[in-house]
Amino acid sequence: MQPAAAPSPADDPALTTQREKIGLPFFWLLVLAYGFFIPAIISWNTESHLYPAFAIVDHGTVRIDAYQQGLGDKSYYGGHWYSDKAPGLAFLAVPVYAGLRTLFPDAKIAGFKLYKNIAGYYYIPRDQTYLRYAITYLLVALPSAALAILLWLFLARLSGSTGWSLAVAAVYALGTTAYAFSIWYFSHQICAVLLFCAFLLLFYRVRDRVPARSVYLAAAAAGLAAGYSIISEYPTAVIAAGLGLYLLAVARSRWRTAAAFVAGTVPSGLLLLGYNLVAFGRPFATGYDYVHSDAYHVHVSTGPLGFANPFAYAIQAPTLDSIWQITLGAYRGIFVVTPVLLLFFVGAFYMWQRRDLRPEWWLCVAVVLVYFLIDAARGPDTNGWSGGSSVASRHLVPMLPFMMVPMIFGLRNQTFRIAFIVLGAISIALMFMTVSSTYLFPYTDKNPVMNEVLPNFFSGQVIPNWVYIWRDVTHLTGFAALLPFFAVAGLLTARIVWLLWDRQSVMAPLTAEGEVR
């Protein structure tokens, strides 16, 4: 039995053409929304991901000795400084930075600079912000926009509705914390891209397919994406494992296909082990074992190969307080800043009624619930469930695409549609106010929406965008600096709406079977 009950776009050439026309302005709308607000301010997390790439290209080493001054997210081992992060994101930046250095040979990156008269305060030199912008744009913003396109097309296949599927994808891209972390060079959103692409490969190319070479190659490619996610953000191993179980449930040749999936994870695993050996002398030692910062209090004792007791990393049983704080709490509650995600639970009820999609239901529900519990099991310190400086808890970002999938099935209900429109609009508004005026929430602010986001935005405090370029050229400040953004975004949105209404069926309500009525 094929996984989708809805008609294939290939059966309707007009619909396929319509989606192609819609997809282009939708993609560039998201690229604009992300690229316009890529920050140029200090972030320890971002710099700790970038500095190993700079060190490899400019110094031929993974040591970040040349950059460590003023950096809080770092490790110290054997008399040298290293990033404390999983290395996957740094490896991605190596060829991009090398290419930029080739094009602009005088644009060599240096570390933070110290303000002359204020000891202990650092900044990024202006002439170096452009390289950081380019790396973030190419490796985070563009893939994030592409992920939203893939999510839209996937939901349209499941539901048969182009319009409502586009609405769900747009709310994901602009109304969840995926927006906030599509403008920062953090690992979480890239992991979301990798993991959901791995799922799509399994869904389209492995599920119920007759065993063949193409099936095994698709499984291996999915394993490669899942494996690279793991070495970019270690906890995503849980989602990767969920994808492995999903594969066993939907593949015809289960064990051979699973073997191909596991084989696909091997290159990333070898890359990680090699990095750990070079940096820390042991294959299973990580930067988290040697964190050296006044901001974090982690003391880990490792074994001969680098293995450590998980509880040494402050992992604990989830508490009612930690669960509350990452869900509905004013401090880091994801449902506070993105209330539309509450509809996941209702959507899951409707998705359950699609018997042909039970494996996908189990995957989405398990990923979301388990990942919430994993985040709640982190300690209460700076690097715990709060995510430090974050928007909600940044640790939850990799699961968000899976959280959006069930919502498409609730949209056949009129009350659900109204709730989705209202909560989706609120979520998009809150996220836009956040990325345009506040960016990351301070670790110490216990109610950042009321104390940071709303006051900053409505007082006209708009953070310089386009990494100083637009502000310097136009000398616009406050809300006026956003006028070009709204002008272009308005034109792209108008184009999308026109194309949707040009074919009325694309906004038709859904039936229980997922067919357009």
Side-chain angles (χ1 to χ4, degrees):
M1 180 174 59
Q2 292 300 316
S8 170
D11 298 332
D12 188 345
L15 182 57
T16 301
T17 301
Q18 195 79 356
R19 288 177 179 173
E20 290 173 352
K21 290 180 179 179
I22 293 170
L24 190 61
F26 182 46
F27 175 78
W28 288 113
L29 173 63
L30 298 181
V31 171
L32 172 69
Y34 298 155
F36 200 89
F37 297 107
I38 291 175
I41 60 177
I42 279 181
S43 165
W44 286 349
N45 193 299
T46 292
E47 303 306 313
S48 192
H49 281 301
L50 287 174
Y51 283 158
F54 301 156
I56 290 171
V57 173
D58 290 333
H59 303 282
T61 179
V62 297
R63 298 168 179 169
I64 62 169
D65 296 347
Y67 310 97
Q68 63 84 23
Q69 185 180 24
L71 180 66
D73 288 0
K74 58 188 176 183
S75 296
Y76 186 75
Y77 173 79
H80 295 282
W81 298 95
Y82 301 89
S83 169
D84 65 349
K85 308 299 180 190
L89 206 57
F91 294 148
L92 287 179
V94 168
V96 176
Y97 177 59
L100 292 171
R101 290 279 284 115
T102 301
L103 294 173
F104 308 100
D106 296 330
K108 184 178 180 179
I109 289 290
F112 292 152
K113 298 297 183 182
L114 182 68
Y115 283 108
K116 291 182 179 180
N117 300 320
I118 309 177
Y121 287 84
Y122 295 85
Y123 69 100
I124 300 172
R126 177 177 296 198
D127 62 352
Q128 296 180 21
T129 59
Y130 307 113
L131 286 175
R132 288 172 168 83
Y133 179 96
I135 293 171
T136 306
Y137 179 84
L138 293 172
L139 294 179
V140 181
L142 289 181
S144 296
L147 173 61
I149 296 291
L150 294 175
L151 176 62
W152 164 47
L153 295 175
F154 171 68
L155 295 178
R157 171 167 179 156
L158 296 186
S159 67
S161 173
T162 297
W164 286 113
S165 299
L166 185 70
V168 174
V171 167
Y172 163 72
L174 301 174
T176 73
T177 50
Y179 189 176
F181 291 99
S182 292
I183 67 174
W184 289 91
Y185 200 72
F186 284 25
S187 59
H188 309 84
Q189 180 60 17
I190 285 299
C191 289
V193 173
L194 291 168
L195 291 165
F196 200 73
C197 285
F199 162 66
L200 292 179
L201 280 168
L202 297 179
F203 179 84
Y204 284 115
R205 301 300 180 190
V206 174
R207 194 189 202 276
D208 293 330
R209 296 274 180 167
V210 176
R213 185 170 180 268
S214 61
V215 173
Y216 301 137
L217 288 175
L224 180 63
Y228 206 88
S229 173
I230 295 172
I231 73 166
S232 301
E233 183 72 13
Y234 297 133
T236 61
V238 175
I239 300 179
L243 291 172
L245 294 175
Y246 170 76
L247 180 152
L248 290 175
V250 300
R252 289 192 178 184
S253 179
R254 293 180 178 178
W255 299 112
R256 288 185 180 181
T257 311
F261 180 83
V262 172
T265 68
V266 170
S268 298
L270 292 176
L271 189 61
L272 175 63
L273 295 179
Y275 171 82
N276 292 339
L277 278 171
V278 170
F280 309 114
R282 288 174 288 181
F284 296 100
T286 71
Y288 292 108
D289 299 336
Y290 305 101
V291 172
H292 190 283
S293 172
D294 293 336
Y296 308 115
H297 305 283
V298 179
H299 303 283
V300 180
S301 178
T302 61
L305 296 178
F307 287 112
N309 186 333
F311 295 100
Y313 297 101
I315 295 175
Q316 59 188 18
T319 65
L320 291 177
D321 180 66
S322 64
I323 292 173
W324 169 261
Q325 291 292 351
I326 64 175
T327 54
L328 294 167
Y331 178 45
R332 286 295 184 265
I334 195 167
F335 299 127
V336 173
V337 292
T338 57
V340 72
L341 293 178
L342 286 167
L343 297 180
F344 160 80
F345 301 99
V346 183
F349 168 79
Y350 285 101
M351 186 178 179
W352 178 257
Q353 298 173 18
R354 284 285 299 271
R355 294 182 178 274
D356 60 323
L357 295 175
R358 287 290 170 83
E360 289 71 29
W361 185 92
W362 281 108
L363 175 66
C364 292
V365 171
V367 163
V368 171
L369 296 183
V370 171
Y371 223 64
F372 265 120
L373 291 176
I374 287 176
D375 192 31
R378 296 172 184 266
D381 64 4
T382 310
N383 205 32
W385 50 259
S386 71
S389 294
S390 183
V391 177
S393 175
R394 56 187 167 87
H395 303 302
L396 298 175
V397 171
M399 75 173 191
L400 292 181
F402 300 92
M403 203 171 188
M404 301 302 297
V405 171
M407 292 188 198
I408 192 64
F409 302 97
L411 287 168
R412 71 172 187 261
N413 178 279
Q414 184 176 3
T415 302
F416 188 99
R417 288 199 296 271
I418 294 171
F420 176 80
I421 292 170
V422 172
L423 295 178
I426 293 172
S427 298
I428 290 175
L430 285 172
M431 281 297 102
F432 181 79
M433 287 189 282
T434 298
V435 300
S436 64
S437 67
T438 305
Y439 293 150
L440 301 178
F441 299 161
Y443 173 66
T444 54
D445 193 329
K446 298 304 179 183
N447 194 344
V449 172
M450 298 302 296
N451 298 334
E452 305 284 339
V453 176
L454 297 179
N456 289 350
F457 185 79
F458 287 108
S459 66
Q461 177 177 311
V462 177
I463 296 176
N465 41 58
W466 276 10
V467 195
Y468 302 105
I469 296 176
W470 186 254
R471 186 186 65 176
D472 287 353
V473 170
T474 64
H475 304 289
L476 295 175
T477 58
F479 288 125
L482 298 178
L483 293 178
F485 170 84
F486 284 123
V488 179
L491 290 174
L492 291 170
T493 303
R495 174 64 175 167
I496 294 169
V497 172
W498 172 265
L499 290 169
L500 283 172
W501 286 110
D502 186 49
R503 182 186 175 93
Q504 295 183 2
S505 65
V506 295
M507 288 300 291
L510 307 177
T511 67
E513 293 75 27
E515 297 176 344
V516 178
R517 186 170 58 208

